[in-house]
Amino acid sequence: MSWIISLPCTRDEAEALAGDIPELDALADAPVVVTREIDEASGRWQLDAYLDAKPGPALLKLLQALVPSAKGEKPHVEQLAEQDWVTLSQQGLEPVQAGRFFVHTSSYADRVPAGSTPFLIDASQAFGTGGHDTTAGCLAMLDRLARAGASPRNIADIGTGTGLLAFAGLALWPRAKIIASDIDPASIFVTQGNAAINGVALGRGGGRLTLAVAPGTDHPAIRHRAPYDLVIANILAGPLITLAPDIASATAPGGHAILAGLIARQMEPVLAAYRAQGFRLAARGGSTEWPCLLLVKRRRHGWRRKERAFHRASPSDASFGSW
């Protein structure tokens, strides 16, 4: 038997819950939380939490605390007989077409458009099913970079989440070496499963994906492979700014960086941090509210492996998980 807890919420609250939720992650049997838009005209959103056991008062109180706008609302608790919470949670996940890529759940496996590059990414503990504007923006930017003639041979995906952006990189540049990292071991476990589902080879060398659990760029394998022709970081504005020196050190002169996870009002502070490290803005994509930035590292800033140590993320840093 499964259970669902539903509460109304605002769009801002829904977007704030799109990343890690430390209050829930600390629970032994954490529910799977999905937010969805109920009515575009009125701006109504809803939080749905799926779990295997009947929820207690403490969990209901915790969920209500995550959506302050629902203060005074009684959570709707319902028992779901003989149903799979994964299937239920995916009912609101529409497929995403971004550039040549078509990202879908199992529910849409028979509806792949001809000529597209499909990826099957089901709901999981990691973020990055393609449905959020930041992930879709990164996919479109990767496609745009490839159509412009770029051919990176060495790529790093920092904060990989489900592995989707790394998979897209290998689809575009099959001979490239790609390393994907995340601070959350669960994300790397999810990426391994998604790689098997989507026929992505794991391992070292060209055409294979290497995985690493790491805060930011702090991992021997990431340092050893640098400098990179392309660094992808779809995380959050705070970590993007904190990691600017490290990403600059890891990017080859003339190399590209794709940054996302920031909202529009955070774009200038993020750009300022990367301009200070020798990057220039080459293109802006994504949506109006969730921009995706394509940066190029100026050639006068060379690779500086011996001159500085990589930043080691402190416990106070925001999550490095992917959107």
Side-chain angles (χ1 to χ4, degrees):
M1 299 292 182
S2 298
W3 294 77
I4 179 173
I5 308 164
S6 299
L7 278 165
C9 66
T10 66
R11 177 176 177 173
D12 287 343
E13 289 168 341
E15 289 174 347
L17 295 173
D20 294 333
I21 309 175
E23 298 90 339
L24 296 181
D25 292 342
L27 301 179
D29 297 311
V32 173
V33 171
V34 177
T35 56
R36 55 196 175 96
E37 189 173 30
I38 301 299
D39 181 28
E40 184 176 358
S42 64
R44 292 174 53 223
W45 284 68
Q46 181 170 300
L47 174 153
D48 294 323
Y50 297 87
L51 63 164
D52 293 327
K54 184 177 181 179
L59 178 59
L60 296 178
K61 183 178 179 180
L62 176 55
L63 289 171
Q64 278 197 298
L66 295 176
V67 285
S69 67
K71 184 178 181 180
E73 295 276 353
K74 184 178 180 180
H76 177 75
V77 180
E78 182 182 355
Q79 188 175 21
L80 304 171
E82 303 301 327
Q83 298 195 63
D84 181 1
W85 65 262
V86 172
T87 301
L88 289 168
S89 68
Q90 292 176 167
Q91 287 178 350
L93 294 178
E94 296 291 329
V96 173
Q97 184 83 55
R100 73 191 72 189
F101 301 111
F102 183 78
V103 186
H104 63 93
T105 63
S106 299
S107 302
Y108 293 87
D110 59 346
R111 309 183 204 179
V112 177
S116 66
T117 300
F119 291 111
L120 194 165
I121 305 290
D122 278 329
S124 66
Q125 294 172 276
F127 194 87
T129 57
H132 196 281
D133 283 355
T134 59
T135 312
C138 287
L139 289 170
M141 189 63 78
L142 285 167
D143 182 70
R144 178 176 177 175
L145 195 59
R147 293 183 190 280
S151 55
R153 295 298 182 92
N154 194 19
I155 302 171
D157 178 17
I158 306 300
T160 195
T162 60
L164 174 58
L165 299 181
F167 300 166
L170 270 177
L172 292 171
W173 301 290
R175 297 182 181 180
K177 292 191 302 181
I178 300 186
I179 187 167
S181 69
D182 202 286
I183 195 172
D184 186 359
S187 289
I188 298 304
F189 177 78
V190 167
T191 297
Q192 288 175 328
N194 286 337
I197 291 170
N198 289 281
V200 175
L202 300 180
R204 300 181 180 181
R208 294 179 177 272
L209 177 62
T210 302
L211 301 176
V213 177
T217 58
D218 187 20
H219 192 280
I222 298 175
R223 293 194 292 267
H224 177 73
R225 287 195 177 196
Y228 297 93
D229 307 312
L230 173 61
V231 176
I232 307 163
N234 181 20
I235 42 180
L236 296 170
L240 283 175
I241 292 172
T242 300
L243 286 173
D246 294 345
I247 289 177
S249 291
T251 305
H256 291 89
I258 293 177
L259 309 180
L262 60 149
I263 57 179
R265 68 173 180 268
Q266 297 167 331
M267 187 174 73
E268 286 307 319
V270 170
L271 279 175
Y274 282 81
R275 283 172 176 146
Q277 299 297 325
F279 285 92
R280 65 174 177 84
L281 178 64
R284 172 183 168 167
S287 65
T288 301
E289 188 170 1
W290 296 94
C292 177
L293 308 178
L294 176 65
L295 308 182
V296 177
K297 185 177 179 183
R298 300 181 188 276
R299 295 189 180 276
R300 62 184 176 85
H301 287 257
W303 168 239
R304 300 176 293 168
R305 177 189 296 217
K306 297 182 180 179
E307 294 181 19
R308 61 183 303 282
F310 271 63
H311 165 76
R312 184 174 296 275
S314 69
S316 63
D317 284 331
S319 167
F320 290 91
S322 173
W323 281 96

